[in-house]
Amino acid sequence: MCGIVGLFIKNPTLESQLGELIAPMLSEMTERGPDSAGIAVYRDPNDKGCKITVLAENLDFDWSDLEESLKASFALKKITVTQNHAVLTLDSAISEVQDWLNENWKELSVTSAGTNIEIFKGKGNPADFIEQFDIKSMRGTHALGHTRMATESAITTEHSHPFSTGQDLCLVHNGSLSNHNRLRETLRRSGVQFKTDNDSEVAAGYLSWRLSEGDDLDQALNHAIDDLDGFYTFAIGTRDGFAVMRDPIGCKPAIMAETDDWAAMSSEYRAIATLPGAENARIWEPEPTQIYSWKRSLE
Amino acid sequence: MTEINLENKSVRELNEKLQSASSGDKFSVNNTVGKHALSVGLTTEINVDINGHVGYYCAGMNQQAKIKINGNAGPGLAENMMSGEVRVTGSASQYAAATAHGGLLVIEGDASSRCGISMKGVNIVVGGNIGHMSAFMAQSGCLVVCGDAGDALGDSIYEAKIYVRGKVKSLGTDCIEKEMRDEHQKELKQLLKQSRMSYGVDEFRRYGSARKLYNFDIDKVDDY
């Protein structure tokens, strides 16, 4: 069991309250996932360069060395440290920075890369995570969150969701995949890298691989229906919105709701009930294998 | 009418109060905000109006009580109901009235997948559509669908009766369309009246068991 929440702001005046609105949603899903929590937030775009979130193993990691060496090699705009995560904002090519990090900073792992996305995650109770990462103060256009109840692999920060699936893309998953071991090996041979033995990371890797092969998100998800065996409700964050899809059996729960101000998804209605105007929202259950998505128009 | 506000009462307090109520008592329940297991295990003829959306397993194991949910219901609504009546003004999530033995469940909106799975005598009337694998292994009782039915309707069905007004996406194994005889028209008319659905019985088709699967005969295994 896990809990998923997603919130997409339609009314721009609410963007300043994104964190304040999604924090109670995440908190409400604690019983579905008390082991760890995570959030992907889309905000403060750095369109001409990139933003990369990196994760250190320990809280006492000294970020000043990284900052110095980034400055020496790239056009670093800023580095924002929160707990054991740091968001690097650079006016440099994303692939160069990622390659350089892989080469020189093996003790760090990249949780997200793109122009808008930032991913934070941690072990422990979602309430502590919300506090430590000051989720309530986050502004932004949309966010996805996850609370995890580990069933098939260890409880570590790296096993926690969301998983990055490419630039400005991420995945949160409720369910379990049964063919992830074989699929992981197949994907590894195609060059996809994995950090853990987690099944959801395989789904993320699979989507990344399909997208790198030229699929758009809808095509990648449709291929996933054929190639992933198991139960899943997926929520996929993109630069300008998010998408939701359930497996053909559809036994993992999902509920969606929309008002003029926001669109939201969650594993259970009680998370959506925390949103303003939820009682009068249009509410429905997503059909199995149907892809539902929200996008903001990019001007 | 006794009002119970879940903002200042726990779910356990609610259920204890409803379970110890006397026949004829009336309750309204407010501030439900999708909470689970509301109004479960009732055994007396009381009226409960639940105002708002509810989470998992609402009205489970109901006996005699009349429960109305003014909102949507999460998974497992009226699971194993024995008698009484449960009505939802919105839609219900998966496996509504699973294994239910008796009583009437009315869902005015849509029901999701596995509605009436393994039903054992309950009558279910759905105003809208139902999802896939509904009435799977349904043993007895009636499932009335005023809209469309999803894939694999009535798979491995026993003696439950299914009436569908709209389209059936596909029938499950051993489920077939059957003749609508007088006794079925009478039964359906009564259920539509009882659930306050204003459709004519002529608009419905009946589905049920071909009786080839549950009378399993090893010598005829190739026929199944």
Side-chain angles (χ1 to χ4, degrees), chain A residues 27-48:
Chain A
S27 190
E28 197 61 46
M29 289 295 95
T30 300
E31 287 160 36
R32 295 189 69 92
D35 298 335
S36 42
I39 195 165
V41 59
Y42 292 80
R43 59 175 174 179
D44 307 331
N46 185 34
D47 291 332
K48 295 199 179 79

Side-chain angles (χ1 to χ4, degrees), chain A residues 32 246 248-253 268-270 273 278-279 283 285 288, chain B residues 33-36 53-54 56 72 75 92-95 112-114 132:
Chain A
R32 295 189 69 92
R246 299 169 79 201
I249 304 291
C251 69
K252 288 294 167 189
E268 295 178 32
Y269 172 75
R270 61 184 167 138
E279 59 280 9
I283 292 170
E285 185 172 303
Chain B
V33 293
K35 286 184 178 168
H36 300 166
H53 307 308
V54 298
Y56 281 73
N72 299 313
S93 186
Q94 51 189 336
Y95 43 89
S112 176
S113 60
R114 295 171 274 272
H132 62 272

Side-chain angles (χ1 to χ4, degrees), chain A residues 96-242:
Chain A
E96 285 173 24
V97 185
Q98 276 188 293
D99 290 347
W100 180 85
L101 283 167
N102 284 339
E103 186 72 25
N104 299 292
W105 293 86
K106 293 194 193 309
E107 63 271 50
L108 297 175
S109 58
V110 171
T111 60
S112 76
T115 57
N116 296 41
I117 192 172
E118 297 173 22
I119 290 181
F120 305 97
K121 44 195 181 180
K123 280 188 292 182
N125 193 289
D128 298 333
F129 169 79
I130 289 166
E131 195 70 28
Q132 285 156 4
F133 286 84
D134 197 15
I135 303 298
K136 286 182 185 161
S137 73
M138 287 178 174
R139 308 163 54 94
T141 51
H142 53 296
L144 288 181
H146 188 269
T147 60
R148 179 166 185 246
M149 185 182 283
T151 50
E152 46 61 62
S153 56
I155 302 169
T156 75
T157 302
E158 288 205 325
H159 281 81
S160 311
H161 303 222
F163 289 102
S164 169
T165 57
Q167 288 186 22
D168 279 320
L169 287 165
C170 71
L171 172 81
V172 291
H173 170 212
N174 171 204
S176 55
L177 303 177
S178 42
N179 65 339
H180 64 101
N181 281 327
R182 182 163 293 180
L183 189 55
R184 187 184 295 108
E185 291 317 309
T186 313
L187 290 168
R188 272 195 176 129
R189 284 196 289 276
S190 303
V192 183
Q193 290 177 8
F194 294 96
K195 291 171 193 155
T196 73
D197 56 348
N198 182 290
D199 61 340
S200 310
E201 192 190 9
V202 174
Y206 176 85
L207 292 175
S208 305
W209 171 68
R210 288 300 333 169
L211 293 161
S212 71
E213 293 288 298
D215 278 6
D216 62 24
L217 185 59
D218 280 17
Q219 288 166 329
L221 286 170
N222 280 319
H223 278 119
I225 296 168
D226 296 332
D227 291 338
L228 300 182
D229 185 12
F231 300 120
Y232 48 85
T233 293
F234 288 144
I236 299 102
T238 66
R239 184 174 302 153
D240 52 351
F242 70 78

